[in-house]
Amino acid sequence: METAVQMEEEHNLEDESRQFLTFTLAEEEYGVDILRVQEVKGWAPVTKIPRSPDYVQGVLNLRGTIVPVVDLRMRFHLDRIDYTRRTVIVVINIEIDAGRRVIGVVADGVSDVINVPVENVKDAPDFGTKVHTDFISGLATIDENMVMLLDIDKLLTAAEIKGLDSLA
Amino acid sequence: MTIDLSQFHQTFFEESAEGLDEMESGLLALEIGADNNETINTIFRGAHSIKGGAGTFGFDAIAGFTHVMETLMDEIRGGNKELTKEIVEAFLQSVDCLRDMMMVEQHHEEHDMDRVNAMQVELESLLHEGKTEEEIAAIDEEITEDEFEALLDQLHGDSGAPTVETPAGSGEFPSESEYQEILDQLPGGDDRGCNIRFKPHPDLMANGNDPLHILRELEGMGDLTVHADLSGLVSFDQIDPADMGIAWDMKLITDASEEVVKEAFAWVEGACDLEIKPFGNITEPADPAEKENTMEAKAVTQTVPSGEAVVESKPAVQQKPAPEKPVSEKKPAASQAPVAAANRPKAGSGGDHAEVTSIRVGIDKIDALINMVGELVITQSMLSQLGSRFEMNDLPNLVDGLVDLERNSRDLQEAVMRVRMVPISFAFARFPRLVRDLGNKMGKQFELVMLGETTELDKTVMEKIGDPLVHLVRNSLDHGIETPDVRKAAGKPETGTLTLSAYHQGGNIVIEIKDDGAGLNKEKILAKARERGLVDDDEVLSDDKVYELVMQAGFSTADTVSDVSGRGVGMDVVQRNISGLGGSIEISSEQGKCTTVTIRLPLTLAIVDGQIVRVGDQIYIVPLISIVETIQINDEQINAVAGKAEVLRLRESYIQIIRMYDVFSLESKVTKLSEGLLVVVEGDGQKAGLFVDELLGQQQVVIKSLESNYERVDGVSGATILGDGTVALIADVSGIIKLAHELGLTDRMGLVQDGKDTAAASA
């Protein structure tokens, strides 16, 4: 538990740091804005959607709502692995042109919630057209580990859903 | 403490809309049948309620307008006036006008005062027709005490800057005859007035002035005797109706000053020869107050502020529209009405506003719901009790409990769905009026028969079915039913009959639109289709397929395009709307005799009866409404067309085979046709066979949207959650057929050949 003093310090820093939920994927750490995370679910079987991009695994029933599940490995063009009992789905709220959506993101496992002061965030280097990194809002260094901060609104833009097939 | 009344506005609008509908049906009934006092009372009450409500909420324009309607209706129901066709027509138009005014108020827009004024003056002229001064005065007696006092005060008050305050928000305003009463009571002398010789120049009317209006105005000032001098008229065959050839000699007994009398001619000063010779003692200009009032009496709305001085007292707003619209002529008003009707947003269809709509539910349905929820709660507590201390020998009780639970849930589900159901009479309600108006417009005679009006369907479905129905009815009336002479020549009764019927069948509602008109001309349709390349020259189509061609976009065999229909922009939209509701549409016809359009719709949008099928390791739901039959086939029965597409001969026609695993890009171990099943479905008028691995039971499923969090997927109309919590996709049959075609899995869409073996037969 934080002391009152510590909490106050954090409030003072509020403008300058944000909180992220980190999760691992293919041994790399990624972070998503904690305010956008709705819940973390254990893995459950999904229903495939015909003719959807390969990174859209399918849809899931989340207490009555149909939620699409995205496998970031495929989104990042990594190899697919089998899902284990530790595989989780991070349910996040995203905002796209068409409005608010709820989507699920597959992760190997979740880690901590971290505070990242704004000055610790660096821009991701531009790798050229081969690697699209607009969904990475920045790179942060936490305890000497690099955490890739994701701009989740860009993870699943409609235009890309159609266009990505041709790239892959 | 003021109460904020705006929260009640919505209720007022809804109730007024209902009241207007009742008035309209009453009026239509009156037109046909004998004088029915009860109907007249209903109409009167409708107008009265709206007037009262409008007054309370400060909708002065509506209140004022409705007042005139109410007055006229009162006269009729009191037996002082006879109900004529003219009056009914005027009332019907007034109802239209009121509907628009309600819409305007709801959206905080501006009233089309020209129209309102014109309508009101027409009603007033009908009201005052053939009556003497006294009778008119007797009618309009609704001035209140306060108003009377206020007027008297003003009259006895100073001149200078007389202002007339029309009583705000009271919904009533004094008419000209009330002012007449006041005038009569004022200290008067001997007869005094003016002799007026008024000779308009020929082009007076061309400038938009109407001498009759001026005469009326003078009439309002006192006792008017008019002698028309026809000496200026040319012979009949040379007459130009726009030209003014009549002059008038008039004697006006009035207290008004010469100034004021002259004012009546202000608009036509340059366009006439005018001589005013006063006689007797003319009163002071101090009285212009009441003359102003007299002229104000023509005011059709209290919302227009009265002017200050006499000169300004002719508010351009009021007087100007009047001369420009010759009110004695019915024609302009009538021609306004159809335009207004055309521009009128579709009433009764609920509009497309993103407002919260409401629904009226009978108390009995609510009571049933409450009962069922009660039973559900009982079952639930019984089950939790069992669950808290469960032992194996409680098992039979548990099973019973679960059976009860299932029954309760099912009953509750049905009851809740019933709440959303409304009788289709709401959708049918607009047709009597539409048929009548179109009959008049087209010069044809129609009889409308409506059956099964109490058949219920989902409210949303009903709102969306309104426009397609209107379109189909218009088609029947315009293209289907012939003119009386053509019908007579064909040995049919001169009056064409249009039958609208609705009934339940299976889990659907069926709506039929049948006319005994000319039927569809197969040859003409085929020829047109060939002309447009939709059909090959040597192709032979079954009758059904020919009729279906009519629903293609842009298809029309109409020789002439009327503004009612004929442009070919309707039927495909109708079909799309109906498909969108999960329904189907069929046309059948007998040339020269009749045409029937049959629409099938699911009873509700949220739930679908589905057949669960398995393809590979995925489960899909195929809506039962699309399934024709399920059969088992083997490879020998299949022919391949152009080497690729597969067709199956099924009785008289060939249907294309769609392998679900191909369309949905799945892996399936079952690829031999004999090992799976073929579900024959129909979508958008086409038949196809969906090849699946196996059938797994039928179930009613709740449709969940895929689009809310993902996006629209071709071939899938939604998703549902199965009993084990997994998601199953609901197949969209027309979408799948389209998909299959796009993927090149099947040959040309739709039109398959009858009775001819295809060239590339075989394995």
Side-chain angles (χ1 to χ4, degrees):
Chain A
M1 287 295 296
E2 293 167 306
T3 64
V5 173
Q6 275 178 315
M7 280 176 69
E8 206 185 277
E9 276 181 339
E10 276 181 280
H11 279 290
N12 288 340
L13 294 174
E14 217 175 36
D15 299 348
E16 298 149 22
S17 75
R18 287 163 47 201
Q19 290 192 306
F20 291 87
L21 172 73
T22 54
F23 59 89
T24 44
L25 192 70
E27 288 153 38
E28 294 294 339
E29 295 246 337
Y30 295 87
V32 283
D33 187 352
I34 192 78
L35 293 173
R36 299 295 198 89
V37 177
Q38 187 178 297
E39 63 188 271
V40 178
K41 246 180 91 79
W43 173 253
V46 291
T47 305
K48 288 206 208 37
I49 306 260
R51 301 165 71 227
S52 55
D54 58 352
Y55 58 82
V56 176
Q57 288 294 92
V59 287
L60 191 64
N61 163 26
L62 191 70
R63 291 186 301 279
T65 316
I66 309 283
V67 172
V69 174
V70 171
D71 189 334
L72 285 180
R73 283 171 169 265
M74 281 171 240
R75 185 69 177 78
F76 301 158
H77 305 292
L78 300 169
D79 292 327
R80 204 183 173 296
I81 61 164
D82 286 332
Y83 297 136
T84 71
R85 284 196 355 222
R86 283 194 56 224
T87 309
V88 293
I89 299 179
V90 182
V91 180
I92 50 182
N93 295 318
I94 64 173
E95 248 163 77
I96 58 177
D97 289 333
R100 292 224 168 122
R101 299 283 154 98
V102 179
I103 68 167
V105 170
V106 181
D108 294 346
V110 283
S111 317
D112 298 322
V113 175
I114 57 173
N115 264 334
V116 181
V118 161
E119 56 263 13
N120 284 11
V121 179
K122 314 277 182 257
D123 282 332
D126 185 1
F127 295 106
T129 53
K130 273 213 165 163
V131 181
H132 281 249
T133 54
D134 25 323
F135 45 77
I136 296 184
S137 68
L139 303 175
T141 312
I142 305 290
D143 295 337
E144 297 174 15
N145 287 333
M146 183 186 83
V147 177
M148 277 176 269
L149 303 177
L150 298 175
D151 181 350
I152 46 172
D153 290 336
K154 298 230 172 66
L155 265 184
L156 202 75
T157 56
E160 284 195 295
I161 287 178
K162 301 290 176 188
L164 214 54
D165 286 338
S166 51
L167 280 181
Chain B
M1 172 186 88
T2 51
I3 308 171
D4 177 20
L5 292 173
S6 54
Q7 50 183 317
F8 302 114
H9 284 180
Q10 187 57 27
T11 317
F12 168 69
F13 289 129
E14 282 174 10
E15 287 186 1
S16 300
E18 283 176 17
L20 283 171
D21 286 339
E22 271 179 26
M23 283 168 72
E24 191 179 49
S25 341
L27 285 165
L28 290 172
L30 280 180
E31 212 178 21
I32 306 173
D35 271 333
N36 185 342
N37 251 349
E38 191 44 51
T39 316
I40 297 180
N41 271 327
T42 310
I43 302 174
F44 172 78
R45 277 196 298 273
H48 186 74
S49 308
I50 296 179
K51 182 186 88 169
T56 310
F57 292 113
F59 300 138
D60 299 330
I62 296 181
F65 184 67
T66 324
H67 172 70
V68 185
M69 289 174 72
E70 180 199 32
T71 312
L72 183 48
M73 223 2 137
D74 200 17
E75 279 297 290
I76 295 174
R77 82 170 175 165
N80 296 336
K81 205 160 179 58
E82 222 184 279
L83 188 68
T84 66
K85 212 168 174 260
E86 270 182 339
I87 293 183
V88 174
E89 177 63 41
F91 264 112
L92 282 170
Q93 286 175 17
S94 309
V95 168
D96 282 342
C97 186
L98 257 183
R99 277 204 185 107
D100 283 349
M101 288 174 86
M102 290 284 175
M103 199 66 74
V104 159
E105 284 290 353
Q106 249 180 316
H107 295 122
H108 308 291
E109 287 164 8
E110 298 285 317
H111 285 295
D112 176 4
M113 286 318 298
D114 288 347
R115 179 175 173 212
V116 175
N117 291 351
M119 201 68 242
Q120 188 154 346
V121 173
E122 190 180 328
L123 286 176
E124 278 171 355
S125 77
L126 284 170
L127 177 61
H128 294 160
E129 229 173 11
K131 292 196 179 293
T132 63
E133 286 272 329
E134 294 89 52
E135 286 175 311
I136 296 180
I139 298 170
D140 301 323
E141 228 160 58
E142 287 201 49
I143 185 172
T144 66
E145 277 280 302
D146 297 353
E147 290 158 21
F148 196 81
E149 296 293 329
L151 282 167
L152 277 184
D153 287 346
Q154 282 155 12
L155 293 169
H156 290 293
D158 273 344
S159 60
T163 51
V164 176
E165 275 160 27
T166 50
S170 71
E172 294 169 15
F173 61 98
S175 72
E176 58 201 38
S177 34
E178 277 140 16
Y179 290 114
Q180 193 61 36
E181 280 181 305
I182 300 168
L183 296 180
D184 288 344
Q185 288 160 27
L186 290 171
D190 308 321
D191 272 351
R192 50 179 180 274
C194 310
N195 280 329
I196 308 171
R197 167 132 179 103
F198 173 45
K199 181 174 187 310
H201 293 169
D203 61 341
L204 183 123
M205 296 230 286
N207 288 337
N209 295 307
D210 183 2
L212 280 177
H213 178 77
I214 300 174
L215 291 181
R216 281 236 186 86
E217 222 183 297
L218 293 174
E219 202 180 49
M221 292 188 201
D223 242 329
L224 184 70
T225 350
V226 183
H227 171 73
D229 174 9
L230 303 170
S231 54
L233 282 177
V234 298
S235 69
F236 190 76
D237 47 342
Q238 288 174 348
I239 220 169
D240 183 349
D243 280 356
M244 195 74 251
I246 311 177
W248 285 278
D249 286 316
M250 300 178 266
K251 178 169 168 184
L252 176 65
I253 299 179
T254 177
D255 289 333
S257 68
E258 187 191 353
E259 300 294 318
V260 171
V261 172
K262 211 157 168 196
E263 297 278 3
F265 296 94
W267 289 102
V268 298
E269 251 178 72
C272 67
D273 295 332
L274 184 62
E275 257 182 313
I276 304 184
K277 288 205 200 82
F279 57 85
N281 283 334
I282 300 296
T283 54
E284 303 314 308
D287 283 326
E290 73 246 20
K291 296 319 143 212
E292 205 181 305
N293 296 351
T294 317
M295 289 188 259
E296 295 291 353
K298 295 262 188 253
V300 254
T301 159
Q302 305 91 287
T303 56
V304 176
S306 56
E308 308 290 333
V310 173
V311 172
E312 281 172 46
S313 82
K314 257 196 213 38
V317 184
Q318 290 155 311
Q319 299 291 13
K320 202 154 161 280
E324 274 156 26
K325 287 195 175 24
V327 284
S328 54
E329 291 167 35
K330 292 283 158 62
K331 262 190 292 163
S335 68
Q336 264 185 354
V339 172
N343 293 340
R344 164 160 60 102
K346 306 183 199 19
S349 73
D352 276 314
H353 322 294
E355 291 160 4
V356 176
T357 57
S358 58
I359 191 174
R360 279 213 165 173
V361 181
I363 288 270
D364 52 334
K365 288 185 186 172
I366 306 281
D367 286 339
L369 275 179
I370 295 181
N371 282 343
M372 268 169 240
V373 171
E375 288 185 32
L376 186 66
V377 170
I378 294 172
T379 306
Q380 179 262 324
S381 62
M382 191 260 282
L383 283 172
S384 7
Q385 217 177 23
L386 265 182
S388 58
R389 335 171 244 96
F390 188 69
E391 293 157 20
M392 271 322 282
N393 53 8
D394 278 334
L395 192 58
N397 287 343
L398 181 63
V399 172
D400 283 343
L402 290 173
V403 168
D404 282 343
L405 184 64
E406 195 220 334
R407 188 171 35 88
N408 286 337
S409 308
R410 201 171 2 103
D411 288 346
L412 189 59
Q413 180 191 31
E414 280 177 15
V416 169
M417 278 177 12
R418 258 205 297 281
V419 166
R420 238 176 163 260
M421 307 264 266
V422 288
I424 201 170
S425 54
F426 287 111
F428 282 179
R430 60 171 102 175
F431 289 114
R433 178 83 192 272
L434 181 73
V435 170
R436 171 194 171 278
D437 286 347
L438 283 177
N440 288 345
K441 193 166 167 181
M442 296 180 201
K444 300 184 190 171
Q445 288 167 12
F446 301 127
E447 186 190 332
L448 176 66
V449 176
M450 301 202 289
L451 305 169
E453 285 178 272
T454 54
T455 313
E456 292 192 334
L457 75 167
D458 181 277
K459 180 165 166 45
T460 318
V461 174
M462 196 199 65
E463 280 168 4
K464 297 204 174 151
I465 200 72
D467 290 344
L469 278 183
V470 167
H471 184 86
L472 291 170
V473 165
R474 284 182 144 181
N475 270 354
S476 286
L477 297 183
D478 200 8
H479 301 300
I481 300 190
E482 319 91 324
T483 57
D485 2 308
V486 173
R487 287 180 71 86
K488 202 156 164 205
K492 294 197 214 174
E494 280 182 15
T495 308
T497 308
L498 179 72
T499 312
L500 291 176
S501 60
Y503 54 90
H504 285 153
Q505 191 184 64
N508 307 319
I509 181 170
V510 182
I511 305 176
E512 280 180 6
I513 301 159
K514 180 171 174 171
D515 67 74
D516 61 352
L520 292 175
N521 186 332
K522 270 183 295 190
E523 277 75 42
K524 225 171 164 187
I525 296 175
L526 256 184
K528 198 83 184 209
R530 290 203 172 113
E531 193 184 300
R532 301 177 92 234
L534 293 166
V535 173
D536 281 346
D537 286 335
D538 55 350
E539 241 179 290
V540 171
L541 295 180
S542 67
D543 287 356
D544 293 338
K545 289 262 179 295
V546 173
Y547 298 140
E548 278 162 29
L549 284 170
V550 172
M551 295 198 268
Q552 301 272 353
F555 197 99
S556 173
T557 56
D559 297 318
T560 52
V561 171
S562 68
D563 69 344
V564 174
S565 56
R567 256 163 281 151
V569 189
M571 285 305 289
D572 65 317
V573 178
V574 169
Q575 177 164 62
R576 228 176 310 133
N577 280 2
I578 295 194
S579 298
L581 292 169
S584 62
I585 182 171
E586 261 170 37
I587 309 181
S588 74
S589 164
E590 216 179 309
Q591 195 156 355
K593 287 235 191 93
C594 65
T595 311
T596 309
V597 181
T598 309
I599 301 176
R600 272 197 187 76
L601 293 168
L603 277 180
T604 155
L605 294 178
I607 301 215
V608 79
D609 282 319
Q611 170 70 56
I612 310 183
V613 301
R614 190 176 54 78
V615 182
D617 60 351
Q618 296 287 317
I619 308 260
Y620 295 95
I621 313 272
V622 182
L624 279 181
I625 191 177
S626 322
I627 300 184
V628 176
E629 58 186 313
T630 309
I631 53 180
Q632 188 154 33
I633 55 172
N634 51 40
D635 287 322
E636 290 84 48
Q637 292 168 277
I638 304 295
N639 293 349
V641 172
K644 206 177 174 205
E646 296 163 303
V647 292
L648 169 76
R649 183 180 173 116
L650 187 67
R651 295 187 286 276
E652 303 93 43
S653 54
Y654 285 90
I655 58 170
Q656 48 197 351
I657 306 262
I658 299 176
R659 293 173 183 256
M660 289 283 276
Y661 59 84
D662 269 339
V663 172
F664 285 158
S665 311
L666 303 164
E667 281 175 17
S668 173
K669 298 198 187 63
V670 178
T671 52
K672 272 175 74 76
L673 290 173
S674 48
E675 289 173 12
L677 287 171
L678 199 70
V679 181
V680 181
V681 294
E682 183 162 5
D684 265 352
Q686 299 173 60
K687 280 210 179 81
L690 302 178
F691 181 64
V692 302
D693 293 4
E694 71 178 307
L695 295 188
L696 308 167
Q698 289 178 3
Q699 196 186 323
Q700 217 177 38
V701 295
V702 176
I703 303 179
K704 294 243 169 232
S705 159
L706 258 188
E707 288 156 34
S708 54
N709 278 330
Y710 184 54
E711 57 180 21
R712 243 196 116 267
V713 179
D714 290 330
V716 170
S717 67
T720 186
I721 297 173
L722 298 174
D724 60 357
T726 59
V727 176
L729 297 177
I730 301 174
D732 168 25
V733 170
S734 3
I736 290 179
I737 296 178
K738 248 186 257 184
L739 252 188
H741 173 64
E742 274 166 32
L743 293 174
L745 299 170
T746 57
D747 73 345
R748 228 173 9 190
M749 290 231 317
L751 311 176
V752 267
Q753 318 189 17
D754 271 323
K756 274 161 94 169
D757 269 329
T758 59
S762 97

